[in-house]
Amino acid sequence: MPERDLQYLAELAAQLRVDSVRAAAEAGSGHPTSSMSAADLMAVLFACYLRYDFDDPDNPANDHLIFSKGHASPLLYSLYKAAGAITDEELLSFRRRGSRMEGHPTPRLPWVDVATGSLGQGLPVGVGVAMAGRLERVPYRVWVLCGDSELAEGSIWEAAEHAGCEGLANLTAIVDVNRLGQRGPTRHGWDTGAYARRFGAFGWHTIEIDGHDPGQIDFALGDACNTRRRPTVILAKTRKGEGAHEVENREGAHGKPLKDPDKAVKELGGLRNVRVAVHEPAVKAAPFRFESDGLELPAYAVGERVATRTAYGQALAALGAARGDVVALDGEVADSTRTEAFAKEFPERFFEMYIAEQQLVAAAVGLQVRGWKPYAATFAAFLTRAYDFIRMAGVSRASIRLVGSHAGVAIGEDGPSQMGLEDLAMLRTVYGSTVLYPCDANQAAALVAEMVGLEGVSYLRTTRGDTPVIYQPGERFPVGGSRVLRHTPGDRATIVAAGVTVHEALAAADDLRESGIAVGVIDLYSVKPVDAAALTEAATTTGNLITVEDHRLEGGLGDAVMDAVSELGPRVVKLAVTGLPGSATPREQLADAGIDRHAIAGAVKSLL
Amino acid sequence: MPERDLQYLAELAAQLRVDSVRAAAEAGSGHPTSSMSAADLMAVLFACYLRYDFDDPDNPANDHLIFSKGHASPLLYSLYKAAGAITDEELLSFRRRGSRMEGHPTPRLPWVDVATGSLGQGLPVGVGVAMAGRLERVPYRVWVLCGDSELAEGSIWEAAEHAGCEGLANLTAIVDVNRLGQRGPTRHGWDTGAYARRFGAFGWHTIEIDGHDPGQIDFALGDACNTRRRPTVILAKTRKGEGAHEVENREGAHGKPLKDPDKAVKELGGLRNVRVAVHEPAVKAAPFRFESDGLELPAYAVGERVATRTAYGQALAALGAARGDVVALDGEVADSTRTEAFAKEFPERFFEMYIAEQQLVAAAVGLQVRGWKPYAATFAAFLTRAYDFIRMAGVSRASIRLVGSHAGVAIGEDGPSQMGLEDLAMLRTVYGSTVLYPCDANQAAALVAEMVGLEGVSYLRTTRGDTPVIYQPGERFPVGGSRVLRHTPGDRATIVAAGVTVHEALAAADDLRESGIAVGVIDLYSVKPVDAAALTEAATTTGNLITVEDHRLEGGLGDAVMDAVSELGPRVVKLAVTGLPGSATPREQLADAGIDRHAIAGAVKSLL
């Protein structure tokens, strides 16, 4: 590399450090030292390798850059300034209320694909973005800046496994090995070989460099671009706080502004006005367009017994036929979740993620970055494995569709480890989420189709066992709606149920009618948003609500109902799973949990 | 190995297969083929290496055996039968209601340490049990039977990293590489080298063998026992369904009984009555006993401003001084969670788990298996990473103490990725859990001490910022209690708060009093179990409850309150975080979320 270029890169990196120090100083908080260590790496990337049109962030040929170490946001924003995307004034609004310069990057900024800040997530999401590139046959590259501390996260190794085995050569991880975590030295310090052995074992091309040497960085990034059939990881030995004596390579300097920022700025050569001309994509790519054919959902005859998970699989296959943008992922249980119906029809749009639920959800998030409509399925219980990823998908405003099968004690003999009993609560708390829980196959199919148009995180809860079809094919079930299944003017209470308990509620209502007690039944298939109008109507007319759910007492359907009607003050009795189930048949489980027809009828009688 | 021994081991393994087939056939469900592949491995382990007194499962010198592939429960129970611990009749009660022979093993059986069945958890928990062995200086061994499919879980590599770096030579993973997952071939099939490279890179001693050859198994297990300073993984190539033509090495035979079990039993040589004499521990070890000194909790003066996280750290250090059985773990944020106060005093009882929250929680579960009292801390937001482990700890009836710092929007500028906003909901749904949320330093200290005696999963939520001390040192705060902080007979509403919002509620009450509106204030520090009596009293006297929490609207304090009073029908207004925060100061965040003093006062006024 010519001396002039080296000089320029050094100036650019110095400015990035200066601006990181200034932004954090102005904010009074933030992570300047974690930014300073990676400044040279990013200077070379921006000046020489990144292909990105900052004026057109939606250009499908743009590379993708993900700061997996999201706390290095001052560096990212300083890069945006150097690229001319933001002003110095906006940079200095760092961490202020209303500013786009948030403490950790979020997609409020048009150049940010996903929110980061929970460590170990950027690389798995980057894997998903790289998977999309292969699907689209667009030669963009995915660059992920990782910290060394976050390599302790298991999710990093799920990503390493998937990318390595799939040979995602369009993915490059750049690890800023600055040796210091938040509270002290990392496990491996500057032993980049320790990381190289690990990534190498997972099938990656590994390069170990001095992360402050522009020539070595240039070589490594070029080598990554020229590597075929393997992802590349660049393990760059760096010094945290590089360039400022006060903090350089010192413990206790994480996540705080410098004490003497002016001195550091001076040490770093003062203010500059270096600009970086980021290359625009060398190729043109049209945004992918899919022909959309008329959707023909599967139809089930009323009275037939079909599991809602089966309807999910068949409806997804139908949706896949109608729309080319639908993709499906599964956690090595596609025969159980029934994603296999889609996988058989559209193998190129199906991704087997094996038993790695974090990567399963992260890949879905990555795919939706590129406009795909992912459905990701596993057992409802095992989605708990990916809760942090689901939470962060909410922060990212990512539109992903999750499907959890084998909900509740109704699975029967397999026992509590396999029972999704916390999933409604877990998904309801996620920002901007939608939670759906069908009770029959036609409803399940309709909701699968409904989900494709939803924004944010949406969730479909399915049941293992067969349940009778009670709705006609083709009926509509809008999100936020409910269905009144039993209602007479003489109703003395209303049972609110969803999924498997709808059938128990109907049976209980029949039993009660024979005892001369009229009760209404509502199918609350949309658990979030909830049909407040229908619940209000029921609460007002009968004054007594009994909620029944195959889920824990906390945070599920019963709480959703109470929340909707709390200001009216009806009496609400919640039936839910409170004990610890063992093995038993599905019918025994429902009885033992106190959520079967007999328990419901008993609860109504005690209430009245 | 003499021919006679080989013959015996073959007979024993054949019986284990026969019994696995019979148990699943009798149950009509279960995983016989996944049991059959590992029968030789376990036969040799039980006959030659395991040191276990089945008559005295609490013997502290016993080895520990964890079936990380919990679905191989028929094999485990067949082993128990061969060892004389259970009868054939009990074996054949497999998966029946009330039977201890659950679909996946749980500690209802005295020889089972932890519930498994959610894959990828047994090895990380085994790491915790092995850590305890080093702490106790008791030379038991930890044997973990893993499946090959579950090696895709990131949690396995968190465990590999911790065990490898710590050199836990008392830990042996035995991987049953039967090549077939649930829905088809695994990623690496019989390529045991692929796994060996990965484990080797993480610092493990690796042995690749034919898992049906007793001689090779014997060699490998012996080699594991003789290996110093490194954990060992035995990668055993096996055939799923080994020994029965109908299912051997065939796809589509996962998780179901054989179609023709009688034929398979015949093929396997029919019924036998082979017994295995498991060696008792060679050494004697007394259960560890700790001197308990008087506990002197830190004391904070009323009016002082102290963060509850600081009180947690100082109280934990005090508790550590009083009790030798208290251990602490942290996810590389001990300076933020303040676990460092304990770490500095008791470095030998502090475990730095780095940024690996699944292993953090799993290690706590493993340590409590041996009777230790673990406190595991990280940011509340990042506990979501370990939700499946927390859920399974509930199923295991494990007594672990979790501490989540940096709760809520009150953290300020760092933004939503770092805010624990789902943790109350997440922890409340866990079976048998306790959820505590102190508002001042003396209360936090008292609750830290309270937790040590709790069974099951307990959780303490702490706050980043300083809050004024309002309680006297030494006051007691029993689990399930609450504190009435404001109350007059003229109260027209009661504000229920916890943690940071207690102070907002008190300020709002003062403001309202100046406007001539008397309101009560309850500090609901015990979110689960909740003080139903106090809430009922408030609901009955004022009829209006306003709940306010720095947490999402769903599943938190507000829902806990509503649940407690729902049958009384008071009006309940819930104030909680509903939007997506950005960066802002703590005060701005509370205002923007509508949970500060002004929002509370406004809500009371609108309600009245």
Side-chain angles (χ1 to χ4, degrees):
Chain A
M1 193 177 269
E3 185 56 39
R4 215 185 55 179
D5 292 356
L6 291 174
Q7 184 60 29
Y8 165 77
L9 290 169
E11 286 293 318
L12 175 59
Q15 173 173 300
L16 296 173
R17 291 193 173 94
V18 165
D19 282 348
S20 296
V21 168
R22 292 169 64 226
E26 188 74 17
S29 68
H31 299 78
T33 59
S34 307
S35 299
M36 294 160 88
S37 53
D40 298 297
L41 294 164
M42 290 300 104
V44 181
L45 178 70
F46 265 59
C48 309
Y49 289 94
L50 186 70
R51 304 280 167 169
Y52 198 92
D53 184 352
F54 275 91
D55 293 329
D56 182 13
D58 294 328
N59 184 337
N62 279 344
D63 281 356
H64 291 264
L65 170 64
I66 298 173
F67 265 42
S68 194
K69 53 177 291 186
H71 55 289
S73 54
L75 173 60
L76 185 64
Y77 305 152
S78 300
L79 286 159
Y80 290 160
K81 181 193 136 181
I86 63 165
T87 63
D88 192 61
E89 189 187 353
E90 183 165 17
L91 172 70
L92 295 182
S93 72
F94 183 49
R95 289 175 164 244
R96 259 193 255 138
R97 178 166 181 266
S99 169
R100 300 189 298 178
M101 307 285 105
E102 294 190 47
H104 295 78
T106 77
R108 276 176 76 182
L109 287 163
W111 319 288
V112 172
D113 289 328
V114 287
T116 51
S118 179
L119 291 171
Q121 299 210 10
L123 189 60
V125 171
V127 168
V129 181
M131 288 161 61
R134 179 177 286 186
L135 199 54
E136 297 169 32
R137 299 172 203 270
V138 178
Y140 61 80
R141 298 197 64 79
V142 183
W143 308 96
V144 181
L145 178 67
C146 294
D148 46 357
S149 287
E150 68 176 320
L151 302 187
E153 286 284 9
S155 57
I156 290 287
W157 302 102
E158 293 185 12
E161 175 76 346
H162 195 85
C165 292
E166 297 295 319
L168 296 176
N170 55 347
L171 175 69
T172 304
I174 304 166
V175 185
D176 178 20
V177 185
N178 66 22
R179 167 187 100 76
L180 291 172
Q182 169 174 322
R183 69 94 208 75
T186 60
R187 198 164 230 151
H188 300 293
W190 274 327
D191 181 5
T192 53
Y195 301 120
R197 284 193 297 281
R198 286 160 174 74
F199 275 101
F202 281 87
W204 288 53
H205 175 47
T206 66
I207 313 173
E208 297 171 62
I209 61 166
D210 173 349
H212 298 312
D213 180 329
Q216 290 191 34
I217 299 167
D218 177 53
F219 167 80
L221 293 170
D223 194 21
C225 292
N226 292 326
T227 299
R228 299 281 165 267
R229 290 185 295 280
R230 278 188 297 171
T232 296
V233 59
I234 299 168
L235 296 154
K237 185 179 156 184
T238 62
R239 284 177 297 275
K240 201 162 175 173
E242 166 77 1
H245 181 73
E246 177 195 324
V247 290
E248 187 177 296
N249 195 26
R250 278 176 208 269
E251 292 191 39
H254 178 94
K256 52 181 88 158
L258 274 62
K259 287 196 194 83
D260 193 344
D262 293 341
K263 189 177 164 200
V265 169
K266 214 171 146 190
E267 247 182 287
L268 288 160
L271 295 184
R272 289 170 184 79
N273 195 9
V274 184
R275 289 292 290 269
V276 59
V278 174
H279 295 282
E280 291 188 12
V283 298
K284 291 225 178 293
F288 56 83
R289 291 263 175 273
F290 302 110
E291 294 310 308
S292 176
D293 227 348
L295 170 63
E296 259 193 72
L297 285 176
Y300 306 95
V302 170
E304 203 182 338
R305 291 183 64 87
V306 186
T308 52
R309 59 175 170 145
T310 303
Y312 152 69
Q314 295 176 341
L316 191 66
L319 196 64
R323 300 180 59 126
D325 55 354
V326 168
V327 291
L329 308 93
D330 201 279
E332 219 270 269
V333 285
D335 52 338
S336 287
T337 59
R338 301 290 159 85
T339 311
E340 67 181 3
F342 181 97
K344 279 180 187 155
E345 299 278 336
F346 308 104
E348 74 291 354
R349 280 189 275 143
F350 171 72
F351 300 97
E352 176 58 78
M353 303 309 294
Y354 297 92
I355 308 183
E357 294 80 7
Q358 298 185 91
Q359 183 57 63
L360 171 75
V361 172
V365 171
L367 283 158
Q368 67 85 44
V369 164
R370 298 285 306 178
W372 296 89
K373 311 283 188 194
Y375 286 73
T378 184
F379 283 29
F382 305 141
L383 283 173
T384 55
R385 202 64 159 255
Y387 193 17
D388 198 21
F389 284 79
I390 301 170
R391 175 183 80 87
M392 287 299 292
V395 178
S396 290
R397 296 83 156 169
S399 294
I400 59 169
R401 291 144 207 89
L402 303 175
V403 180
S405 71
H406 293 64
V409 299
I411 66 164
E413 289 82 355
D414 269 327
S417 64
Q418 317 292 305
M419 294 171 173
L421 286 170
E422 302 80 9
D423 53 324
L424 294 177
M426 174 172 81
L427 268 301
R428 281 182 70 234
T429 57
V430 171
Y431 172 73
S433 66
T434 302
V435 179
L436 306 169
Y437 183 17
C439 70
D440 93 340
N442 285 323
Q443 190 180 48
L447 292 175
V448 169
E450 202 70 32
M451 287 169 89
V452 80
L454 296 181
E455 297 198 344
V457 175
S458 56
Y459 175 57
L460 184 80
R461 184 183 218 225
T462 68
T463 300
R464 175 175 181 267
D466 293 335
T467 44
V469 175
I470 60 171
Y471 294 111
Q472 294 292 340
E475 290 193 44
R476 286 207 56 231
F477 298 95
V479 168
S482 68
R483 281 300 183 98
V484 176
L485 290 176
R486 293 276 194 286
H487 177 58
T488 64
D491 285 348
R492 297 172 63 194
T494 305
I495 308 168
V496 186
V500 72
T501 59
V502 165
H503 306 283
E504 301 300 318
L506 291 172
D510 293 345
D511 292 350
L512 289 163
R513 193 179 47 206
E514 286 180 20
S515 321
I517 303 169
V519 295
V521 175
I522 291 178
D523 169 14
L524 199 73
Y525 64 84
S526 179
V527 179
K528 182 185 175 188
V530 82
D531 189 348
L535 293 170
T536 300
E537 171 76 20
T540 315
T541 51
T542 70
N544 293 309
L545 299 182
I546 292 96
T547 68
V548 54
E549 63 195 301
D550 192 356
H551 181 272
R552 294 246 165 249
L553 189 69
E554 297 88 2
L557 175 136
D559 283 359
V561 170
M562 285 212 299
D563 194 54
V565 301
S566 62
E567 298 192 32
L568 304 167
R571 289 202 300 171
V572 182
V573 174
K574 281 165 57 178
L575 302 182
V577 181
T578 54
L580 185 58
S583 283
T585 65
R587 189 121 298 283
E588 288 168 342
Q589 298 277 17
L590 291 173
D592 288 349
I595 55 172
D596 70 345
R597 61 192 292 174
H598 307 297
I600 298 169
V604 170
K605 285 178 184 163
S606 332
L607 183 66
L608 298 178
Chain B
M1 193 176 270
E3 184 58 37
R4 214 183 58 179
D5 291 358
L6 291 174
Q7 183 61 28
Y8 165 77
L9 290 169
E11 285 292 317
L12 174 58
Q15 172 174 301
L16 297 173
R17 291 192 173 96
V18 164
D19 283 347
S20 296
V21 168
R22 290 170 64 226
E26 190 75 18
S29 68
H31 299 77
T33 58
S34 306
S35 298
M36 294 159 87
S37 52
D40 298 298
L41 294 164
M42 291 299 104
V44 180
L45 178 70
F46 266 60
C48 309
Y49 291 93
L50 186 70
R51 304 280 164 172
Y52 198 92
D53 184 352
F54 275 92
D55 294 329
D56 182 13
D58 293 329
N59 183 335
N62 280 342
D63 282 356
H64 291 263
L65 171 64
I66 298 173
F67 265 42
S68 194
K69 53 176 291 184
H71 56 288
S73 54
L75 172 61
L76 185 64
Y77 305 152
S78 300
L79 286 159
Y80 291 160
K81 180 193 137 182
I86 63 166
T87 63
D88 192 62
E89 189 186 355
E90 183 166 19
L91 173 70
L92 296 183
S93 72
F94 182 48
R95 286 175 166 244
R96 260 193 254 138
R97 180 166 180 267
S99 169
R100 300 189 297 177
M101 307 284 106
E102 294 191 48
H104 295 77
T106 77
R108 276 178 75 182
L109 288 164
W111 318 288
V112 173
D113 290 328
V114 287
T116 50
S118 179
L119 291 171
Q121 299 209 10
L123 188 62
V125 170
V127 167
V129 180
M131 288 161 61
R134 180 177 285 186
L135 199 55
E136 298 169 31
R137 297 172 205 269
V138 178
Y140 61 81
R141 298 197 62 80
V142 183
W143 307 96
V144 181
L145 178 67
C146 294
D148 46 355
S149 286
E150 68 176 319
L151 302 187
E153 286 284 9
S155 57
I156 290 288
W157 302 102
E158 293 184 12
E161 175 77 346
H162 195 85
C165 292
E166 298 295 320
L168 296 176
N170 55 349
L171 175 68
T172 304
I174 304 166
V175 185
D176 178 20
V177 185
N178 65 22
R179 166 186 100 75
L180 292 171
Q182 170 175 322
R183 68 93 207 75
T186 60
R187 200 165 229 150
H188 298 294
W190 273 328
D191 181 6
T192 52
Y195 301 120
R197 283 193 298 280
R198 286 159 174 74
F199 275 101
F202 281 87
W204 287 54
H205 175 46
T206 66
I207 313 173
E208 298 170 61
I209 60 166
D210 173 348
H212 298 311
D213 180 330
Q216 291 191 35
I217 299 167
D218 177 53
F219 167 79
L221 293 170
D223 194 21
C225 292
N226 292 326
T227 298
R228 300 280 165 266
R229 288 184 297 281
R230 278 187 299 169
T232 296
V233 58
I234 298 168
L235 296 153
K237 184 179 156 184
T238 62
R239 282 176 297 275
K240 200 163 176 172
E242 166 77 1
H245 181 72
E246 178 195 323
V247 291
E248 186 178 296
N249 196 25
R250 280 176 206 268
E251 292 190 42
H254 178 93
K256 51 181 89 158
L258 274 62
K259 287 196 193 84
D260 193 343
D262 293 341
K263 190 177 163 200
V265 169
K266 212 170 146 191
E267 250 182 285
L268 288 161
L271 295 184
R272 291 170 183 77
N273 196 9
V274 183
R275 289 291 290 269
V276 61
V278 174
H279 295 281
E280 291 189 12
V283 298
K284 292 226 176 292
F288 56 85
R289 293 262 176 270
F290 302 109
E291 294 309 308
S292 177
D293 226 348
L295 170 62
E296 259 194 74
L297 285 176
Y300 306 95
V302 171
E304 202 182 340
R305 293 183 63 87
V306 185
T308 52
R309 59 174 170 147
T310 303
Y312 152 69
Q314 295 176 342
L316 191 65
L319 196 64
R323 299 182 60 125
D325 56 352
V326 168
V327 291
L329 309 93
D330 201 280
E332 219 270 88
V333 285
D335 53 339
S336 286
T337 59
R338 302 290 159 83
T339 310
E340 66 180 4
F342 181 97
K344 279 177 188 157
E345 299 280 337
F346 309 104
E348 74 292 351
R349 280 190 275 144
F350 170 72
F351 299 96
E352 175 58 78
M353 303 307 294
Y354 297 90
I355 308 183
E357 293 82 6
Q358 297 184 89
Q359 183 58 64
L360 171 75
V361 173
V365 171
L367 284 157
Q368 67 85 42
V369 164
R370 299 285 306 177
W372 296 88
K373 312 280 189 196
Y375 286 72
T378 184
F379 282 29
F382 305 141
L383 283 173
T384 56
R385 203 63 159 255
Y387 193 18
D388 198 21
F389 284 79
I390 301 170
R391 175 183 80 87
M392 287 298 293
V395 177
S396 289
R397 295 86 156 165
S399 295
I400 59 170
R401 293 143 205 88
L402 303 175
V403 181
S405 71
H406 292 65
V409 301
I411 65 164
E413 291 82 355
D414 269 328
S417 64
Q418 319 293 303
M419 293 171 174
L421 286 170
E422 303 80 8
D423 53 325
L424 294 177
M426 175 172 80
L427 269 301
R428 282 182 68 235
T429 58
V430 172
Y431 172 74
S433 65
T434 303
V435 179
L436 306 169
Y437 183 17
C439 71
D440 93 339
N442 285 322
Q443 189 179 50
L447 292 174
V448 169
E450 201 72 31
M451 287 169 89
V452 80
L454 296 180
E455 298 200 341
V457 175
S458 57
Y459 176 58
L460 184 80
R461 184 184 217 224
T462 68
T463 300
R464 174 175 181 266
D466 292 336
T467 44
V469 174
I470 61 172
Y471 294 111
Q472 295 291 341
E475 291 193 43
R476 285 208 55 233
F477 298 94
V479 169
S482 70
R483 281 299 183 97
V484 176
L485 292 175
R486 293 278 193 283
H487 177 58
T488 65
D491 286 348
R492 297 173 61 195
T494 306
I495 308 169
V496 186
V500 72
T501 59
V502 165
H503 307 283
E504 301 299 319
L506 291 172
D510 293 345
D511 292 350
L512 288 163
R513 193 179 48 207
E514 286 181 19
S515 321
I517 303 170
V519 295
V521 175
I522 291 178
D523 169 12
L524 199 72
Y525 64 83
S526 178
V527 180
K528 180 184 176 187
V530 82
D531 189 349
L535 292 170
T536 299
E537 170 76 20
T540 313
T541 51
T542 70
N544 294 308
L545 299 182
I546 292 98
T547 67
V548 54
E549 62 196 303
D550 193 357
H551 181 273
R552 294 245 164 249
L553 188 69
E554 297 87 2
L557 175 136
D559 282 359
V561 171
M562 285 213 298
D563 194 52
V565 300
S566 62
E567 298 191 31
L568 305 167
R571 289 202 301 169
V572 182
V573 173
K574 281 166 54 179
L575 303 182
V577 181
T578 55
L580 184 59
S583 283
T585 65
R587 189 121 299 283
E588 289 168 342
Q589 298 278 17
L590 292 173
D592 289 350
I595 55 172
D596 71 345
R597 62 193 290 175
H598 306 298
I600 298 169
V604 170
K605 285 178 184 165
S606 332
L607 183 66
L608 299 178

